[in-house]
Amino acid sequence: MAILLIAEHNNQSLKSETHKVVQAASAIGGDITVLVAGLNCAAAANEAATIIGVSKVLLADNAAYEHQLAENIAGLVAELGANFSHILAPATTTGKNFLPRVAAMLDVAQISDVIAIESSDTFVRPIYAGNAIATVKSTDAIKVLTVRPAAFRAAQTGNSATVETVAAVHDAGVSKYISAELTKSERPELTAARVVISGGRGMQNGENFALLNGIADKLGAAIGASRAAVDAGFVPNDMQVGQTGKIVAPDLYIAVGISGAIQHLAGMKDSKVIVAINKDAEAPIFQIADYGLVADLFTVLPELEQLL
Amino acid sequence: MKILVPVKRVIDYNVKVRVKADQTGVDLANVKMALNPFCEIAIEEAVRLKEAGKASEVVVISIGTTAVQEQLRTALALGADRAIHIETELSLDSLQVAKLLAKLVGEEQPDLVILGKQAIDSDNNQTGQMLAALTGMGQGTFASKVQINDGKVQVTREIDGGLQTVELTLPAVVSTDLRLNEPRYASLPNIMKAKKKPLEVKAADSFGVNLQSNVTVVKVAAPAVRQGGIKVESVAELVDKLKHEAKVI
Ligand SMILES: Cc1cc2nc3c(=O)[nH]c(=O)nc-3n(C[C@H](O)[C@H](O)[C@H](O)COP(=O)(O)OP(=O)(O)OC[C@H]3O[C@@H](n4cnc5c(N)ncnc54)[C@H](O)[C@@H]3O)c2cc1C
Ligand SMILES: Nc1ncnc2c1ncn2[C@@H]1O[C@H](COP(=O)(O)O)[C@@H](O)[C@H]1O
């Protein structure tokens, strides 16, 4: 078995999702080759070479790959991937964007959002917003999978795999990068944080999200949100946790002013410990919370910040 | 400009799904079905482009049993001009859907295909990207803004770190995210009018596409149930429990 794994990075450094997908790849078994495609991304490739379990790193350094445009990355991955038994990428917005394109180019299915590896051809994935868990078996010659990072531990570092340069340039010429507005934050990333505190419609407005800051500071937490809070414009889209947002599984998840719709639960119900703060004792979030506090969030949050 | 909008009939998003006792799938008997929410957004976007004078025709397509005609009629009531039903009893995987859609793109020659980013039943999030690959088109996935100008489309995409804007040469594929627009409701007169709009039926096996997927479902199980915990009386008690019982802070 030979596995090609596409690294997630920002051209400077590797994202932790990559380490988690390596862990999933190790469960399949076989040689793991990591592809780092980007521009001036040698440092990220060197970082990938330190992950235990990786046998080789391929570095494709070209302007065509700078912004991870799906049309270009997919061309590269489909060419390189033809010789592998498995192609894996994290189920992030980047992986979800280019990997189905790769699968179609190779005329094979993609299995999305894998949360467990049963064997080299059998995988487990949630469907219906996590209300059902499907085990699927593939007889495709190349298995193409996006892997849900929250479901796997990060592979350790301490390796020194070889880094090889790939000359292939794929520029499909149909798409162009225009701009990006990236949210800047000193806090840990939502999907990597040990503690997440999320606010919902109950927060009432964007300014009130500041009430979560002090608590997040003390706990080293990332701040998330429900879709209702994002839709209402309280906070940016990249904070959304849920079926169609980010999937998190921290040690501690604190839901504040969130009712607990199934689409929200789909993104956080695998957290180790869940706390819910809601003034409505009947809110469905309490059915899955380990610790529920029925109270007004505007009195609770300042008190919580003080007691931590 | 012609816009193609593929739409899927799925379980209504408010329904709590139940896994069948024999673990072969989820129970869809007597369950409320609806347009996939992301497809409603796709229809709305196409109709708005037509209303803005940017598009001349909106064609909706659904692949499935005769039942999908219900959703096609809804789409027509929401403003689509005509509908195509590709009929099959098989439940297809995204790759097979994309292959059928690619054939239709060949026949219809649209300038833009707008579809949902994800069907809320399979949660696949694949079809648009696959269709773009099979037709060589550019793709603007997870769109929260779409602007058409001079043979190009600018798509603002919702990505993990924030937003990214790309420009694609037309024809192109766009997949919708939740904040692209807020879909309208179909008015009664429009529902009546929709009954008279053209709806063409084609057999899926007439396209020369292999409809068999190489992925089979071994079993479908219910997720582990999470036991509800306790209610605490005060913030002090909460902090104490988190420190000494759960030991997470
Ligand atoms: C296709 C689709 C995909 C979706 N994907 C997602 C997703 O990924 N993530 C997501 O989150 N949602 C998603 N949703 C939306 C989801 O269905 C719910 O609408 C949403 O999660 C509700 O957000 P909320 O809990 O913040 O708001 P509400 O349901 O309005 O709940 C607000 C809560 O705040 C409480 N509250 C109000 N004031 C106070 C106060 N002062 N103190 C304490 N508590 C207070 C209320 O009691 C209430 O329980 C999706 C929906 C669809 C159709
Ligand atoms: N059977 C189908 N018929 C028409 N369109 C479909 C079908 N299945 C999926 N699609 C389209 O593809 C989008 C993404 O679906 P998926 O990739 O399966 O998550 C949906 O929102 C639809 O727009």
Side-chain angles (χ1 to χ4, degrees):
Chain A
M1 234 113 35
I3 303 168
L4 178 65
L5 192 160
I6 295 72
E8 178 110 1
H9 63 89
N10 60 7
N11 290 319
Q12 278 109 49
S13 59
L14 217 53
K15 298 266 181 78
S16 63
E17 283 86 353
T18 308
H19 303 76
K20 294 181 176 179
V21 182
V22 170
Q23 186 75 23
S26 301
I28 294 171
D31 277 352
I32 302 171
T33 301
V34 175
L35 170 66
V36 178
L39 180 65
N40 299 328
C41 55
N46 291 335
E47 221 183 305
T50 67
I51 305 175
I52 293 174
V54 173
S55 26
K56 196 197 313 182
V57 175
L58 300 178
L59 169 61
D61 206 324
N62 191 281
Y65 309 133
E66 181 177 9
H67 301 290
Q68 305 292 315
L69 289 176
E71 299 80 358
N72 302 351
I73 298 283
L76 174 67
V77 176
E79 182 195 314
L80 298 173
N83 304 318
F84 288 83
S85 61
H86 295 74
I87 306 176
L88 274 60
T92 54
T93 50
T94 307
K96 289 174 179 178
N97 191 31
F98 73 77
L99 204 61
R101 196 166 175 115
V102 171
M105 291 172 87
L106 295 171
D107 195 23
V108 296
Q110 174 180 291
I111 300 173
S112 299
D113 265 306
V114 169
I115 57 168
I117 311 282
E118 296 258 288
S119 70
S120 61
D121 65 4
T122 305
F123 313 99
V124 181
R125 61 176 302 254
I127 50 177
Y128 292 92
N131 289 303
I133 307 293
T135 303
V136 297
K137 184 182 163 88
S138 167
T139 55
D140 273 326
I142 304 175
K143 278 103 180 144
V144 174
L145 323 176
T146 60
V147 173
R148 182 176 284 191
F152 295 90
R153 281 183 298 115
Q156 301 291 310
T157 52
N159 191 9
S160 54
T162 53
V163 179
E164 266 175 35
T165 306
V166 178
V169 178
H170 288 262
D171 189 343
V174 290
S175 58
K176 200 168 90 186
Y177 166 86
I178 301 291
S179 62
E181 275 172 58
L182 301 182
T183 309
K184 289 200 182 58
S185 166
E186 300 299 309
R187 298 190 191 287
E189 284 196 46
L190 257 181
T191 50
R194 207 187 59 80
V195 178
V196 173
I197 181 162
S198 292
R201 200 196 312 268
M203 298 299 295
Q204 287 178 7
N205 57 45
E207 291 76 69
N208 288 340
F209 263 76
L211 292 170
L212 304 179
N213 288 344
I215 299 169
D217 287 344
K218 288 198 166 162
L219 295 175
I223 301 183
S226 72
R227 176 193 167 195
V230 175
D231 268 358
F234 300 173
V235 290
N237 64 279
D238 54 287
M239 285 171 66
Q240 179 180 319
V241 171
Q243 178 189 17
T244 56
K246 287 184 184 154
I247 310 289
V248 302
D251 288 348
L252 174 61
Y253 187 90
I254 308 175
V256 184
I258 292 177
S259 62
I262 51 172
Q263 292 87 4
H264 188 79
L265 303 189
M268 46 64 80
K269 71 177 160 103
D270 292 329
S271 305
K272 214 154 98 198
V273 173
I274 297 173
V275 169
I277 299 166
N278 196 304
K279 67 178 180 189
D280 173 10
E282 303 302 316
I285 189 81
F286 287 123
Q287 290 164 20
I288 63 146
D290 299 285
Y291 301 107
L293 180 56
V294 181
D296 190 308
L297 68 91
F298 295 102
T299 52
V300 167
L301 291 176
E303 207 181 325
L304 181 58
E305 182 179 341
Q306 220 172 28
L307 289 183
L308 284 172
Chain B
M1 187 173 92
K2 188 198 274 189
I3 306 180
L4 231 54
V5 183
V7 300
K8 190 174 188 190
R9 173 184 167 92
V10 297
I11 194 162
D12 184 275
Y13 82 97
N14 284 309
V15 172
K16 176 106 179 75
V17 303
R18 255 194 296 274
V19 171
K20 286 191 203 160
D22 64 2
Q23 298 204 324
T24 55
V26 303
D27 196 354
L28 293 178
N30 303 315
V31 165
K32 186 173 174 219
M33 302 296 280
L35 264 173
N36 182 41
F38 291 100
C39 299
E40 281 188 300
I41 296 169
I43 297 164
E44 178 67 30
E45 195 64 16
V47 170
R48 286 189 192 183
L49 284 168
K50 191 181 169 196
E51 288 168 348
K54 299 262 183 195
S56 49
E57 192 185 22
V58 176
V59 184
V60 285
I61 305 160
S62 195
I63 304 168
T65 64
T66 322
V68 307
Q69 291 188 14
E70 187 188 343
Q71 276 62 48
L72 287 173
R73 288 288 172 206
T74 306
L76 293 170
L78 290 168
D81 298 295
R82 64 185 167 91
I84 301 171
H85 170 204
I86 302 182
E87 191 174 9
T88 176
E89 294 292 322
L90 301 168
S91 88
L92 303 180
D93 217 343
S94 296
L95 180 63
Q96 282 66 39
V97 170
K99 284 182 179 180
L100 288 170
L101 294 176
K103 292 280 182 188
L104 220 58
V105 164
E107 286 176 17
E108 294 279 340
Q109 297 288 319
D111 302 285
L112 191 62
V113 180
I114 310 183
L115 35 56
K117 81 161 177 184
Q118 161 176 354
I120 61 161
D121 49 4
S122 68
D123 282 332
N124 266 354
N125 196 333
Q126 302 173 2
T127 306
Q129 298 88 315
M130 288 179 160
L131 172 63
L134 297 174
T135 53
M137 288 194 258
Q139 62 185 61
T141 52
F142 327 145
S144 65
K145 193 168 171 203
V146 174
Q147 274 179 304
I148 313 265
N149 274 317
D150 307 328
K152 308 238 188 243
V153 58
Q154 278 207 359
V155 182
T156 301
R157 310 178 50 236
E158 297 203 350
I159 59 170
D160 286 340
L163 298 169
Q164 182 195 54
T165 302
V166 293
E167 185 176 81
L168 313 169
T169 311
L170 295 178
V173 174
V174 167
S175 85
T176 61
D177 216 316
L178 293 168
R179 276 162 293 275
L180 180 57
N181 60 50
E182 215 170 298
R184 69 194 69 188
Y185 291 97
S187 69
L188 198 57
N190 285 343
I191 292 172
M192 299 313 287
K193 265 191 246 160
K195 293 189 175 154
K196 298 206 184 67
K197 288 188 180 175
L199 190 160
E200 186 186 356
V201 183
K202 299 182 179 217
D205 50 21
S206 69
F207 287 89
V209 166
N210 177 3
L211 299 176
Q212 231 54 54
S213 168
N214 289 331
V215 177
T216 49
V217 175
V218 179
K219 71 170 182 189
V220 174
V225 262
R226 202 179 166 108
Q227 295 302 327
I230 58 160
K231 293 252 169 70
V232 292
E233 295 303 322
S234 66
V235 177
E237 187 187 349
L238 175 64
V239 171
D240 180 68
K241 295 274 189 204
L242 291 177
K243 278 191 177 145
H244 302 114
E245 194 174 272
K247 298 189 168 63
V248 284
I249 61 171

